[in-house]
Amino acid sequence: MTLEYLSQNRAFDGDQFVLSHHSDATGTEMTFSVYVPPHLPGVKLPVLWYLSGLTCTHANVTEKGEYRRACAEHGIVFVAPDTSPRGEDVPDAPDEYDFGKGAGFYVDATQDPWSRHYRMRSYLEIELPQVVASEFPVDLSRQAITGHSMGGHGALTIGLRDPARFRSISAFSPIVSPSRVPWGEKALSRYLGDDRDAWRAYDAVALIEDGARHDHILVDQGTADQFLEEQLKTGALSLACAKAGMSPEIRMQEGYDHSYYFISSFMADHIAWHAARLG
């Protein structure tokens, strides 16, 4: 596999990289960023995966997430992939910001024309970890995952589907039950078809209802988030966890909205929380 280094910058005595490679999962070129904190030669480090939200790429959190100081302090590699496949041959819905490119919803699509390239679940769960581990000093026995909005949905569902792999899960303003909100219903119906049972693997609330469990979940949600009531529905996650006997940390942050001003305010807190569980 050939990795192309697009940029490298020094930060907090570590290195911020942006790279691209051809993905077998999506059949396209994929770009992602990696921050490697300062470390001793030969040491392998825990890794925190960050999944971005609708319309975003790897660049949003890389440029605005303010995670590098905390990752350097705690010795954590931070990886930020793209949100969907890209390229001229990739199908898109250019007039719809919440579907197509930039809105992959971290699923493996089964419906035409999306199924050929929109395979973000396989890319993130199988291919990208192998790519990162082949090039960077990561310890894949110590993984955690986080994300924002659509990426919060991705972090929750990926982590809940494989709790033995991900020691901790966190999210900023996640879409907790895409099966029940407009953003999610549009995406899941087109990517996966009309069988709602097939959607349940991509819905955190449904996964918990169906028996998924995790002991370490942290969610921050702003009370001034314009999408809270219609699209995010944090209360549905609280209710599902209570019924399942789970005790996540779900924190309503007064006055915060859906933006990176919110994410950057609590990013260091999330990284410290993950660090305590990654060892």
Side-chain angles (χ1 to χ4, degrees):
M1 178 177 296
T2 301
L3 278 171
E4 181 180 358
Y5 280 72
L6 304 179
S7 65
Q8 178 177 350
N9 299 93
R10 197 72 169 165
F12 298 101
D13 293 326
D15 290 287
Q16 177 68 64
F17 301 93
V18 177
L19 309 96
S20 69
H21 71 108
H22 178 80
S23 166
D24 291 334
T26 67
T28 66
E29 288 293 311
M30 296 296 291
T31 301
F32 64 99
S33 73
V34 180
Y35 176 70
V36 180
H39 61 285
L40 296 173
V43 172
K44 290 196 172 183
L45 304 170
V47 57
L48 176 61
W49 305 91
Y50 178 92
L51 307 185
S52 294
L54 285 166
T55 74
C56 293
T57 70
H58 71 283
N60 298 75
V61 70
T62 305
E63 297 169 2
K64 298 185 288 187
E66 299 185 25
Y67 55 84
R68 280 170 283 266
R69 182 189 294 273
C71 284
E73 177 183 350
H74 294 287
I76 293 175
V77 174
F78 190 98
V79 182
D82 202 346
T83 51
S84 70
R86 309 279 176 173
E88 293 183 1
D89 295 334
V90 174
D92 191 18
D95 296 328
E96 301 175 70
Y97 77 95
D98 54 355
F99 189 73
K101 293 179 186 176
F105 268 83
Y106 305 105
V107 307
D108 275 358
T110 59
Q111 305 299 302
D112 290 333
W114 316 104
S115 58
R116 179 181 175 188
H117 296 297
Y118 284 76
R119 299 185 56 79
M120 292 301 293
R121 176 179 178 175
S122 291
Y123 177 66
L124 290 171
E125 293 183 354
I126 301 171
E127 185 175 15
L128 187 58
Q130 295 173 354
V131 171
V132 171
S134 72
E135 191 77 6
F136 296 101
V138 297
D139 178 0
L140 292 183
S141 71
R142 293 187 290 163
Q143 297 187 64
I145 192 165
T146 187
H148 170 234
S149 194
M150 179 186 72
H153 137 75
L156 288 168
T157 54
I158 290 172
L160 284 166
R161 288 195 301 259
D162 198 349
R165 177 176 177 180
F166 297 96
R167 295 193 185 184
S168 50
I169 307 166
S170 76
F172 304 89
S173 311
I175 306 170
V176 304
S177 187
S179 300
R180 309 175 197 185
V181 301
W183 279 341
E185 288 185 315
K186 174 190 283 191
L188 297 181
S189 64
R190 295 191 195 177
Y191 290 140
L192 303 175
D194 294 331
D195 181 4
R196 285 180 171 258
D197 286 342
W199 301 7
R200 297 184 71 81
Y202 299 105
D203 183 308
V205 169
L207 284 166
I208 293 168
E209 291 173 347
D210 293 344
R213 298 291 183 268
H214 204 291
D215 293 332
H216 302 287
I217 297 176
L218 169 65
V219 172
D220 273 323
Q221 172 63 59
T223 62
D225 191 320
Q226 65 270 39
F227 302 114
L228 175 57
E229 296 302 324
E230 182 180 21
Q231 304 284 9
L232 308 179
K233 297 190 180 297
T234 309
L237 179 65
S238 300
L239 181 60
C241 288
K243 288 182 177 179
M246 295 168 58
S247 300
E249 296 182 50
I250 299 178
R251 310 185 303 195
M252 303 302 295
Q253 303 291 0
E254 187 66 30
Y256 284 91
D257 60 18
H258 200 70
S259 72
Y260 268 86
Y261 295 107
F262 165 55
I263 297 167
S264 63
S265 296
F266 297 96
M267 178 66 83
D269 193 25
H270 279 234
I271 291 169
W273 182 86
H274 285 292
R277 288 152 182 82
L278 287 168

